[in-house]
Amino acid sequence: MKTLTLDFEYDCDFELFGLVSSTREHRLAWLLNADLRLRLVKQQDIIYDLLSRGRLVISNYLHTTHTCTLRLFRNRSVAPSTLKKPYLAPDVRQYDYLLQISNGTGTLAPEQVLARLTALEDVQHVCQLDPNQLEFKENLFF
């Protein structure tokens, strides 16, 4: 009997930023709301049940308009986990938060966002990431 394997490659059509910050997530969301003129709202936690390996609970905030969607994720699981690497994106675990922007223009254009995030005193480091290079990029699709 022949076995068929489906190989599927995701195409990421969003911008992704990694943030290093010791600030709590609700304060970081508040700072981003004030600086970028957003309305990030806390959403229900994203739960990945990885069968026998464990559970991953990711905190997230959402801002959406008719032209743009912005999500702020905590990269590390907020609940205790038995996983070896309890991260949303384990290949960039040095970042505490991930900021995902779909269809960003104007003040939410990647260059503008990078400059404004760098200027925030509660953010120690910001880097624009290429989501297509991430090994676990499928974790970022919702």
Side-chain angles (χ1 to χ4, degrees):
M1 176 184 266
K2 288 186 176 181
T3 303
L4 298 175
T5 304
L6 177 64
D7 289 330
F8 188 79
E9 191 65 34
Y10 294 103
D11 184 30
C12 302
D13 61 344
F14 54 84
E15 302 296 328
L16 187 66
F17 298 90
L19 289 84
V20 175
S21 177
S22 58
T23 304
R24 293 188 181 263
E25 62 194 44
H26 59 276
R27 172 145 171 83
L28 183 60
W30 181 81
L31 289 169
L32 293 175
N33 284 342
D35 191 61
L36 297 174
R37 299 180 194 262
L38 302 174
R39 188 162 191 283
L40 284 167
V41 178
K42 174 81 166 120
Q43 301 297 305
Q44 185 174 5
D45 291 340
I46 300 167
I47 300 173
Y48 292 105
D49 281 320
L50 304 173
L51 302 176
S52 63
R53 293 189 351 210
R55 179 180 239 196
L56 189 62
V57 180
I58 301 298
S59 177
N60 74 99
Y61 291 77
L62 174 68
H63 167 80
T64 186
T65 64
H66 61 282
T67 59
C68 173
T69 302
L70 188 139
R71 292 180 179 268
L72 175 67
F73 301 107
R74 183 171 175 163
N75 195 22
R76 189 176 177 92
S77 180
V78 294
S81 178
T82 58
L83 295 171
K84 258 188 201 180
K85 299 177 185 176
Y87 298 95
L88 178 64
D91 35 350
V92 288
R93 65 177 174 251
Q94 65 270 26
Y95 296 104
D96 300 311
Y97 298 96
L98 298 174
L99 186 68
Q100 179 186 36
I101 302 174
S102 300
N103 302 326
T105 58
T107 59
L108 292 178
E111 304 80 26
Q112 303 289 45
V113 171
L114 188 60
R116 295 186 110 175
L117 291 174
T118 304
L120 291 174
E121 64 183 52
D122 286 7
V123 176
Q124 287 80 35
H125 180 68
V126 180
C127 181
Q128 186 170 1
L129 305 169
D130 182 3
N132 291 311
Q133 299 299 318
L134 298 178
E135 182 179 346
F136 295 93
K137 63 185 169 189
E138 62 273 358
N139 290 354
L140 300 171
F141 290 103
F142 301 99

mmCIF file of all heavy atoms in Angstrom, residues 6-23:
data_model
loop_
_atom_site.group_PDB
_atom_site.id
_atom_site.type_symbol
_atom_site.label_atom_id
_atom_site.label_comp_id
_atom_site.label_asym_id
_atom_site.label_seq_id
_atom_site.Cartn_x
_atom_site.Cartn_y
_atom_site.Cartn_z
ATOM 1 N N LEU A 6 1.549 14.709 2.804
ATOM 2 C CA LEU A 6 1.205 16.062 2.412
ATOM 3 C C LEU A 6 2.218 17.026 3.013
ATOM 4 O O LEU A 6 2.351 17.130 4.227
ATOM 5 C CB LEU A 6 -0.200 16.416 2.908
ATOM 6 C CG LEU A 6 -0.678 17.831 2.630
ATOM 7 C CD1 LEU A 6 -0.784 18.065 1.123
ATOM 8 C CD2 LEU A 6 -2.023 18.061 3.288
ATOM 9 N N ASP A 7 2.967 17.682 2.152
ATOM 10 C CA ASP A 7 3.908 18.711 2.585
ATOM 11 C C ASP A 7 3.280 20.053 2.265
ATOM 12 O O ASP A 7 2.976 20.347 1.108
ATOM 13 C CB ASP A 7 5.248 18.586 1.855
ATOM 14 C CG ASP A 7 6.030 17.372 2.300
ATOM 15 O OD1 ASP A 7 5.874 16.984 3.468
ATOM 16 O OD2 ASP A 7 6.778 16.815 1.476
ATOM 17 N N PHE A 8 3.122 20.861 3.309
ATOM 18 C CA PHE A 8 2.481 22.154 3.136
ATOM 19 C C PHE A 8 3.378 23.237 3.707
ATOM 20 O O PHE A 8 3.863 23.122 4.824
ATOM 21 C CB PHE A 8 1.126 22.165 3.860
ATOM 22 C CG PHE A 8 0.321 23.391 3.584
ATOM 23 C CD1 PHE A 8 -0.386 23.527 2.408
ATOM 24 C CD2 PHE A 8 0.271 24.420 4.509
ATOM 25 C CE1 PHE A 8 -1.120 24.660 2.150
ATOM 26 C CE2 PHE A 8 -0.470 25.562 4.261
ATOM 27 C CZ PHE A 8 -1.169 25.673 3.074
ATOM 28 N N GLU A 9 3.608 24.253 2.924
ATOM 29 C CA GLU A 9 4.459 25.363 3.354
ATOM 30 C C GLU A 9 3.588 26.584 3.588
ATOM 31 O O GLU A 9 2.845 27.004 2.704
ATOM 32 C CB GLU A 9 5.508 25.655 2.278
ATOM 33 C CG GLU A 9 6.595 26.590 2.703
ATOM 34 C CD GLU A 9 7.474 26.022 3.804
ATOM 35 O OE1 GLU A 9 7.706 24.811 3.831
ATOM 36 O OE2 GLU A 9 7.919 26.820 4.639
ATOM 37 N N TYR A 10 3.657 27.140 4.802
ATOM 38 C CA TYR A 10 2.894 28.333 5.143
ATOM 39 C C TYR A 10 3.594 29.569 4.607
ATOM 40 O O TYR A 10 4.811 29.666 4.644
ATOM 41 C CB TYR A 10 2.758 28.469 6.659
ATOM 42 C CG TYR A 10 1.930 27.395 7.302
ATOM 43 C CD1 TYR A 10 2.530 26.350 7.983
ATOM 44 C CD2 TYR A 10 0.547 27.422 7.237
ATOM 45 C CE1 TYR A 10 1.777 25.358 8.583
ATOM 46 C CE2 TYR A 10 -0.219 26.441 7.817
ATOM 47 C CZ TYR A 10 0.399 25.411 8.500
ATOM 48 O OH TYR A 10 -0.355 24.442 9.082
ATOM 49 N N ASP A 11 2.800 30.513 4.125
ATOM 50 C CA ASP A 11 3.345 31.795 3.701
ATOM 51 C C ASP A 11 2.881 32.847 4.703
ATOM 52 O O ASP A 11 1.682 33.063 4.864
ATOM 53 C CB ASP A 11 2.854 32.142 2.294
ATOM 54 C CG ASP A 11 3.483 33.418 1.775
ATOM 55 O OD1 ASP A 11 4.636 33.706 2.165
ATOM 56 O OD2 ASP A 11 2.831 34.117 0.988
ATOM 57 N N CYS A 12 3.802 33.456 5.380
ATOM 58 C CA CYS A 12 3.490 34.438 6.423
ATOM 59 C C CYS A 12 3.333 35.815 5.788
ATOM 60 O O CYS A 12 4.291 36.350 5.238
ATOM 61 C CB CYS A 12 4.591 34.462 7.479
ATOM 62 S SG CYS A 12 4.838 32.869 8.254
ATOM 63 N N ASP A 13 2.145 36.367 5.874
ATOM 64 C CA ASP A 13 1.882 37.685 5.298
ATOM 65 C C ASP A 13 1.716 38.732 6.400
ATOM 66 O O ASP A 13 0.858 39.594 6.336
ATOM 67 C CB ASP A 13 0.652 37.639 4.405
ATOM 68 C CG ASP A 13 -0.600 37.244 5.157
ATOM 69 O OD1 ASP A 13 -0.479 36.712 6.286
ATOM 70 O OD2 ASP A 13 -1.707 37.473 4.638
ATOM 71 N N PHE A 14 2.541 38.626 7.429
ATOM 72 C CA PHE A 14 2.494 39.575 8.531
ATOM 73 C C PHE A 14 3.905 39.936 8.959
ATOM 74 O O PHE A 14 4.861 39.244 8.645
ATOM 75 C CB PHE A 14 1.702 39.012 9.720
ATOM 76 C CG PHE A 14 2.186 37.672 10.211
ATOM 77 C CD1 PHE A 14 3.240 37.583 11.108
ATOM 78 C CD2 PHE A 14 1.587 36.508 9.780
ATOM 79 C CE1 PHE A 14 3.692 36.353 11.561
ATOM 80 C CE2 PHE A 14 2.025 35.266 10.232
ATOM 81 C CZ PHE A 14 3.079 35.202 11.119
ATOM 82 N N GLU A 15 3.997 41.056 9.671
ATOM 83 C CA GLU A 15 5.270 41.498 10.240
ATOM 84 C C GLU A 15 5.346 40.964 11.665
ATOM 85 O O GLU A 15 4.330 40.880 12.358
ATOM 86 C CB GLU A 15 5.353 43.026 10.257
ATOM 87 C CG GLU A 15 5.193 43.673 8.900
ATOM 88 C CD GLU A 15 6.298 43.329 7.934
ATOM 89 O OE1 GLU A 15 7.448 43.123 8.377
ATOM 90 O OE2 GLU A 15 6.016 43.262 6.727
ATOM 91 N N LEU A 16 6.538 40.623 12.115
ATOM 92 C CA LEU A 16 6.715 40.066 13.444
ATOM 93 C C LEU A 16 7.886 40.752 14.133
ATOM 94 O O LEU A 16 8.952 40.912 13.534
ATOM 95 C CB LEU A 16 6.965 38.559 13.353
ATOM 96 C CG LEU A 16 7.001 37.786 14.659
ATOM 97 C CD1 LEU A 16 5.627 37.793 15.332
ATOM 98 C CD2 LEU A 16 7.440 36.354 14.417
ATOM 99 N N PHE A 17 7.655 41.158 15.368
ATOM 100 C CA PHE A 17 8.681 41.808 16.170
ATOM 101 C C PHE A 17 8.862 41.032 17.463
ATOM 102 O O PHE A 17 7.890 40.594 18.072
ATOM 103 C CB PHE A 17 8.269 43.251 16.520
ATOM 104 C CG PHE A 17 8.100 44.131 15.320
ATOM 105 C CD1 PHE A 17 6.875 44.245 14.685
ATOM 106 C CD2 PHE A 17 9.182 44.844 14.817
ATOM 107 C CE1 PHE A 17 6.720 45.042 13.574
ATOM 108 C CE2 PHE A 17 9.033 45.642 13.706
ATOM 109 C CZ PHE A 17 7.803 45.742 13.082
ATOM 110 N N GLY A 18 10.100 40.867 17.871
ATOM 111 C CA GLY A 18 10.418 40.260 19.162
ATOM 112 C C GLY A 18 10.777 41.373 20.134
ATOM 113 O O GLY A 18 11.552 42.266 19.799
ATOM 114 N N LEU A 19 10.209 41.320 21.349
ATOM 115 C CA LEU A 19 10.467 42.341 22.359
ATOM 116 C C LEU A 19 11.041 41.699 23.611
ATOM 117 O O LEU A 19 10.523 40.670 24.067
ATOM 118 C CB LEU A 19 9.175 43.064 22.754
ATOM 119 C CG LEU A 19 8.546 43.998 21.749
ATOM 120 C CD1 LEU A 19 7.666 43.236 20.787
ATOM 121 C CD2 LEU A 19 7.712 45.024 22.467
ATOM 122 N N VAL A 20 12.075 42.302 24.149
ATOM 123 C CA VAL A 20 12.619 41.890 25.438
ATOM 124 C C VAL A 20 12.188 42.952 26.433
ATOM 125 O O VAL A 20 12.517 44.128 26.282
ATOM 126 C CB VAL A 20 14.162 41.786 25.408
ATOM 127 C CG1 VAL A 20 14.701 41.470 26.787
ATOM 128 C CG2 VAL A 20 14.603 40.753 24.394
ATOM 129 N N SER A 21 11.404 42.531 27.425
ATOM 130 C CA SER A 21 10.904 43.466 28.429
ATOM 131 C C SER A 21 10.547 42.687 29.687
ATOM 132 O O SER A 21 9.913 41.639 29.625
ATOM 133 C CB SER A 21 9.666 44.188 27.914
ATOM 134 O OG SER A 21 9.142 45.033 28.901
ATOM 135 N N SER A 22 10.946 43.233 30.831
ATOM 136 C CA SER A 22 10.597 42.601 32.099
ATOM 137 C C SER A 22 9.259 43.118 32.628
ATOM 138 O O SER A 22 8.802 42.708 33.688
ATOM 139 C CB SER A 22 11.698 42.853 33.133
ATOM 140 O OG SER A 22 11.870 44.249 33.306
ATOM 141 N N THR A 23 8.629 44.003 31.879
ATOM 142 C CA THR A 23 7.334 44.575 32.249
ATOM 143 C C THR A 23 6.243 43.521 32.136
ATOM 144 O O THR A 23 6.277 42.667 31.250
ATOM 145 C CB THR A 23 7.002 45.751 31.306
ATOM 146 O OG1 THR A 23 8.065 46.678 31.358
ATOM 147 C CG2 THR A 23 5.718 46.428 31.682
#
